[in-house]
Each structure stands twice: as C-alpha cells, then as structure tokens.
C-alpha cells in the first residue's frame, strides 16, 4: 500500500483519488475538472508508471534473451485453458533444457514484483492507466517457471556447495549439488566431479554463479561413493589431474548419453554397418564416449579425436583416455587438422565440439563443408550434433558444401534431450540413399545391432529445404 506519509500529504492538499488524476507533461490535472492541481497529487500515478516501466523493460530484455539463446518463438507459448496467462508447449521445454540456453540465461531477478505494484496501484488506479498493454509479463513468467524447474534456481537459498547442475542422463532429470570434496579436476571453464559411480564433466558459468552445466558423463566400473571422501586436506590445484590419477576410471563402454548413442547409430546406420567402417574422425573429445565404443566394438577401426581446448584434452585422462594404435588424440584447431588431412581419407566424421555456445561462424560455412567434402571417402557420413536454432542455416551449408543429392540428408532427435542429430551421406556411384542402403544393419554383428537400436530410437527422417524450419 501507499506509504502513510504520502497518504497524509495527499489528504492535506485535498488531492483527488489517485485514479482521478492524469499527467500533463510534468504537471498534474484533475480528470473531472481538467484543472491543474498540485504536482504531488500525481505522485502515486508517477510511481506506479515508473516501477512498471522498469519492470516492463526487464521482461522485454529477458524475452529477447530467451528468443536469441533458447530459440523461443511465439509458437512455443499458448494460452492456458484455465486461469488465464500463457503456458510453454511441451516441445519447447527441450529448448529451455539445452546447454546454450542454460549457460546464457541468468537467474530471474525482476527489479520489483508485479504483485507488489498491483497491490499498491490497482486499488485506486485502473490497470489500463499504468500497465502497458505490451508488457511481456505472461510470456516471461511462463518461460521462467519451466526454466527454473530445469536449473534448480529456486533451491539456491542456503546452498553452500561449489555449484548445482541438472543431470539429463537416464530417464529422470535430477538437480545435483557439487561439494568441494567431489571435485577431481578444475580449470577456468570446466570441472570434473565424482558422483557415486559416475564421473561428470561440467561447464562452468562465465558469470561465476552457483550453477554449472552438464557436458557429459561416464560410468566407472566398480566405483562407489567412497571416492569423494578420500582427499583429506589436500588442496586441488587448477588443471591438476592428480586426483584422477589416484583413482583411475575404468569407464563402461556404452555411452550413457543418448545424444552420443544417436550419433553413433546414425553414423553406422547410414554408412552401412561396422564391418565397412575403418577410418573415423571425431571433432571434440568430451568424455571419450564415442571413441571408446567404436574402438571396443569395431576391432579394425582407427579413431582420430581432434580437440581444440587444452583443458578438455588434459582432462580426458580423468575418463580413462590413453593413446593406442587404434585411437589418437590431437590438440589442434579442427579446421587446421582437416586442411592437413589427406583427401578421401575419412569414412565417418562426427562433429560434437560446440555444445555450449553458438557454433563458430568459420565452421558452418559452405566453404568449410567443401573442405570436409574433399576429405570424405565416397559413401562416407558426416554426423553433427546441433541445437534446433542452428539446424536451418547449418543444413543449407551442408547441402551446398557437400553437394548432397536428394535423400542424402537426414535428421533425428536424441531421446529425452533437445539435441538434433543431422547426418549427411557423401554420394558415391551406384549407392542409394537412406535406410534402404543399410537394410541388413539390424541383422549384423553386436555393434551393428546396437547401432540400429540407437538409430531407430532417434527416428531419423529425410530432410528437405521445406523441413529445415520445422525441425
């Protein structure tokens, strides 16, 4: 309610009620007589408009953040049948759970609550006088509600750990808290933590907040909850892998994340199965899940993993990585690596190195995919892990740069996640496109059958120019 001292001043000056005054520039008028009255008589109206103007600017800015960083559009919001307001459609919830969205959007901190303004202003001033019709309150509050459910912001009060993150591995989305004793490795941008039998790679927020973003994780065979309590008073030095060396991870072969499963499934499904595949290049090391499965399941394969981040390349040791005749990690810019690679020397190329930011412009151009096209063997496959907002422009560059024919571009969705997997088949003489080329995959060896299961779960569909904007 309006402060007692202000009410007293308004009564002393015989001001009309706050709903019966209007602003005229810097002056104040009575709406009944249209006469000028003391300026202070408009003080309540001005205060209400000032506060709602500040709030409206906040909501407008926050809605733009959701549109730019999370690919939210008007189609992602619909009127609620009961109670009014807006609700987020189910399909858009994956966008709010995506890595780029979680990293970019800060916690909701409106300068003032709309309910407080309404309590002060609405009893005496009609809302249409002080509340702008284009205020984005309903849209942002609907988005914030879903976003907070994913990020766990609502639980930050009283939290004294290192950070919190949402785990998307498995069937249940869970909010996880990281305590200092569970940290195995840390750098400016990344952290590795032990969560019972899992080793988790996290991306740290640039604003230093109490939230981090799950990159990926592996299951370590035979590990228990004991791990995080064995360090005593030892101080963890930045970029030190000493704790990882003290407890090596014997990682399970099957990738726990469905986006890795979908990429592997797509690569083998559209290439023709494990027996034909020998030369694989992965752009982005992550936790090593893809190369671990490929090397374990396909004895004749060779895998080159290219990582640009020195931190991630160093941290790979924490997930059981070691070079061998079958696999090799290269610390190099991906574009430079491809330029130095022999032409037609790659059977499968998996691109998964930009999960928490916009894809750099230099690796989504037509010219970049022309470079890739020269390095791919006939009949090879290029598999990319994308967020929905990148698909349209990225696919257009792939089609032109790789000179794809009709039916040689497909897309699917990682089950339970917002990741879109796009796979391009490099044309070869006499080869047909799509599922018919790989009809025997389900009946092949164990690796082929597992890949077939993952590809089926991702539900890959042919991609045309008309479908790009609807992915």
């Amino acid at each position: 309610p309006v402060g007692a001292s202000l009410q007293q001043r308004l009564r002393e000056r015989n001001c009309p009620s706050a709903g019966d005054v209007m602003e005229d520039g810097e002056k104040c008028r009575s709406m009944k007589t249209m006469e000028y009255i003391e300026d202070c008589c408009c003080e309540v109206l001005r205060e209400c408009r000032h506060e709602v103007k500040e709030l409206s600017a906040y909501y407008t800015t926050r809605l733009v953040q959701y549109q730019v960083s999370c690919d939210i559009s008007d189609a992602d919001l619909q009127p609620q049948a009961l109670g009014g307001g807006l609700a987020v459609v189910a399909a858009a919830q994956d966008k709010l759970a995506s890595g780029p969205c979680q990293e970019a959007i800060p916690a909701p901190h409106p300068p003032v609550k709309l309910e407080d303004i309404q309590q002060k202003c609405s009893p005496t001033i009609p809302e249409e006088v002080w509340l702008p019709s284009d205020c984005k309150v309903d849209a942002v509050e609907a988005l914030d509600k879903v976003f907070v459910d994913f990020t766990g912001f609502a639980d930050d009060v009283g939290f004294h750990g290192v950070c919190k993150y949402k785990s998307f591995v498995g069937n249940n989305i869970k909010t996880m808290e990281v305590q200092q004793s569970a940290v195995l490795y840390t750098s400016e941008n990344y952290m590795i933590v032990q969560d019972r039998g899992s080793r988790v790679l996290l991306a740290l927020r640039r604003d230093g907040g109490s939230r981090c973003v799950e990159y990926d994780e592996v299951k370590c065979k035979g590990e228990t909850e004991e791990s995080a309590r064995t360090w005593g008073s030892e101080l963890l030095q930045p970029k030190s892998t000493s704790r990882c060396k003290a407890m090596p991870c014997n990682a399970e072969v099957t990738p726990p994340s469905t986006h890795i499963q979908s990429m592997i499934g797509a690569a083998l499904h559209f290439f023709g199965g494990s027996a034909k595949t020998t030369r694989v290049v992965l752009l982005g090391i992550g936790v090593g899940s893809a190369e671990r499965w490929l090397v374990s399941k396909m004895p004749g394969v060779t895998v080159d993993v290219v990582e640009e981040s020195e931190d991630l390349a160093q941290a790979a040791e924490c997930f059981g990585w070691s070079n061998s005749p079958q696999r090799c990690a290269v610390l190099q810019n991906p574009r430079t690596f491809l330029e130095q690679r022999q032409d037609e020397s790659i059977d499968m190329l998996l691109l998964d190195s930009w999960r928490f930011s916009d894809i750099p412009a230099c690796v989504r151009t037509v010219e970049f995919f022309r470079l890739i096209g020269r390095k791919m063997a006939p009949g090879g496959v290029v598999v990319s892990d994308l967020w929905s907002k990148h698909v349209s422009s990225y696919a257009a560059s792939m089609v032109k740069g790789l000179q794809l024919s009709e039916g040689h571009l497909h897309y699917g969705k990682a089950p339970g996640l917002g990741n879109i997997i796009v796979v391009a088949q490099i044309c070869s003489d006499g080869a047909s496109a799509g599922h018919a080329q790989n009809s025997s995959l389900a009946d092949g060896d164990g690796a082929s059958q597992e890949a077939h299961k993952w590809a089926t779960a991702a539900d890959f569909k042919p991609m045309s120019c008309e479908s790009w904007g609807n992915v």
Side-chain angles (χ1 to χ4, degrees):
V2 179
S5 60
L6 177 56
Q7 292 186 42
Q8 180 64 29
R9 286 165 53 199
L10 297 180
R11 284 196 297 269
E12 290 175 354
R13 288 166 173 75
N14 296 316
C15 289
S17 67
D20 292 327
V21 298
M22 60 179 291
E23 292 180 286
D24 183 3
E26 296 182 356
K27 296 183 178 182
C28 187
R29 285 179 183 266
S30 166
M31 293 180 66
K32 292 182 178 179
T33 67
M34 297 306 294
E35 294 179 350
Y36 287 108
I37 54 180
E38 289 194 47
D39 289 348
C40 71
C41 293
C42 283
E43 191 165 341
V44 175
L45 176 61
R46 289 192 181 109
E47 186 174 336
C48 292
R49 282 182 168 168
H50 171 75
E51 289 185 356
V52 82
K53 182 179 179 181
E54 187 178 15
L55 184 64
S56 183
Y58 163 81
Y59 279 122
T60 298
T61 299
R62 190 162 178 84
L63 182 58
V64 170
Q65 289 177 322
Y66 275 121
Q67 291 168 339
V68 172
S69 299
C70 310
D71 198 29
I72 293 295
S73 66
D74 291 343
D76 294 321
L77 297 161
Q78 63 182 13
Q80 293 192 94
L82 299 174
L86 296 173
V88 179
V89 300
Q93 295 185 15
D94 288 339
K95 299 180 181 179
L96 297 174
S98 71
C101 183
Q102 290 187 52
E103 185 183 32
I105 303 298
H109 287 301
V112 62
K113 293 183 178 179
L114 180 60
E115 294 83 356
D116 293 342
I117 303 178
Q118 289 172 322
Q119 185 180 8
K120 175 170 61 178
C121 305
S122 293
T124 55
I125 309 174
E127 284 197 1
E128 60 266 21
V129 174
W130 57 268
L131 183 63
S133 59
D134 62 345
C135 190
K136 310 298 183 182
V137 174
D138 287 347
V140 172
E141 289 190 346
L143 293 165
D144 279 347
K145 183 179 184 302
V146 176
F147 183 72
V148 166
D149 286 344
F150 279 122
T151 60
F153 270 134
D155 302 322
D156 279 352
V157 177
F159 173 65
H160 301 293
V162 178
C163 69
K164 305 170 89 171
Y165 68 95
K166 283 287 182 177
S167 174
F168 294 91
V169 174
N171 295 325
N172 299 316
I173 300 175
K174 300 176 293 183
T175 299
M176 310 298 292
E177 297 185 358
V178 178
Q179 302 300 326
Q180 187 63 52
S181 60
V183 179
L184 302 179
Y185 173 90
T186 184
S187 68
E188 183 179 355
N189 298 310
Y190 300 99
M191 179 187 298
I192 298 173
V193 301
Q194 189 75 24
D195 175 29
R196 296 175 293 278
S198 296
R199 196 157 289 189
V200 187
L201 175 61
L202 303 173
L204 304 181
R205 282 184 59 87
R206 297 187 182 94
D207 61 10
S210 63
R211 186 162 53 101
C212 37
V213 183
E214 184 182 50
Y215 195 114
D216 205 350
E217 68 178 62
V218 298
K219 300 289 185 182
C220 299
K221 297 178 184 178
E223 289 195 1
T224 65
E225 298 184 27
E226 164 228 342
S227 60
R229 297 192 290 269
T230 60
W231 314 120
S233 59
E234 176 193 349
L235 180 64
L236 178 63
Q237 298 296 327
K239 298 187 179 183
S240 169
T241 59
S242 60
R243 291 187 177 180
C244 296
K245 291 176 180 177
M247 186 179 14
C249 176
N250 182 16
E252 292 186 1
V253 171
T254 300
S257 175
T258 60
H259 92 277
I260 296 294
Q261 295 176 5
S262 299
M263 293 185 75
I264 294 173
L268 295 185
H269 182 72
F270 289 99
F271 187 74
S274 61
K276 293 174 58 178
T277 307
T278 56
R279 301 164 298 179
V280 180
V281 171
L282 307 179
L283 300 188
I285 194 168
V287 299
S289 293
E291 61 77 22
R292 187 177 299 111
W293 187 93
L294 292 167
V295 168
S296 173
K297 299 289 187 176
M298 299 160 56
V301 75
T302 58
V303 182
D304 289 324
V305 182
V306 185
E307 179 54 60
E308 189 171 17
S309 166
E310 183 177 352
D311 291 351
L312 287 179
Q314 182 184 36
E317 181 180 357
C318 295
F319 300 101
W321 174 276
S322 61
N323 284 340
S324 73
Q326 274 189 277
R327 62 182 182 180
C328 179
V330 180
L331 180 62
Q332 193 173 24
N333 176 276
R335 192 184 187 96
T336 302
F337 173 87
L338 290 172
E339 288 171 345
Q340 296 173 354
R341 181 87 178 197
Q342 181 180 347
D343 288 355
E344 297 189 0
S345 64
I346 303 174
D347 294 310
M348 295 187 344
L349 176 64
L350 278 64
L351 297 90
D352 186 35
S353 59
W354 37 72
R355 294 186 60 205
F356 291 98
S357 61
D358 285 336
I359 299 176
C362 62
V363 293
R364 51 185 167 92
T365 62
V366 173
E367 191 275 333
F368 177 65
F369 283 105
R370 284 178 182 151
L371 170 63
I372 289 178
R374 293 196 300 272
K375 307 304 172 179
M376 299 301 299
V381 289
V382 179
V383 184
S384 296
D385 173 32
L386 305 173
W387 300 108
S388 57
K389 70 175 183 177
H390 299 136
V391 171
S392 180
S393 60
Y394 195 91
S397 293
M398 290 183 84
V399 169
K400 294 178 181 177
L402 298 176
Q403 298 181 327
L404 299 177
S405 304
E406 183 70 25
H408 283 77
L409 186 67
H410 291 75
Y411 74 96
K413 183 178 178 182
L417 301 176
N419 304 59
I420 303 297
I421 310 301
V422 176
V423 53
Q425 295 172 282
I426 306 302
C427 298
S428 60
D429 293 338
S432 59
H435 299 263
Q437 181 180 342
N438 306 287
S439 57
S440 64
L441 190 62
D443 302 321
D445 57 23
S448 296
Q449 292 180 20
E450 194 166 26
H452 173 76
K453 179 182 68 174
W454 292 338
T456 301
D459 191 24
F460 284 94
K461 297 179 175 66
M463 195 172 187
S464 63
C465 297
E466 292 75 18
S467 68
W468 293 347
N470 300 318
V471 174

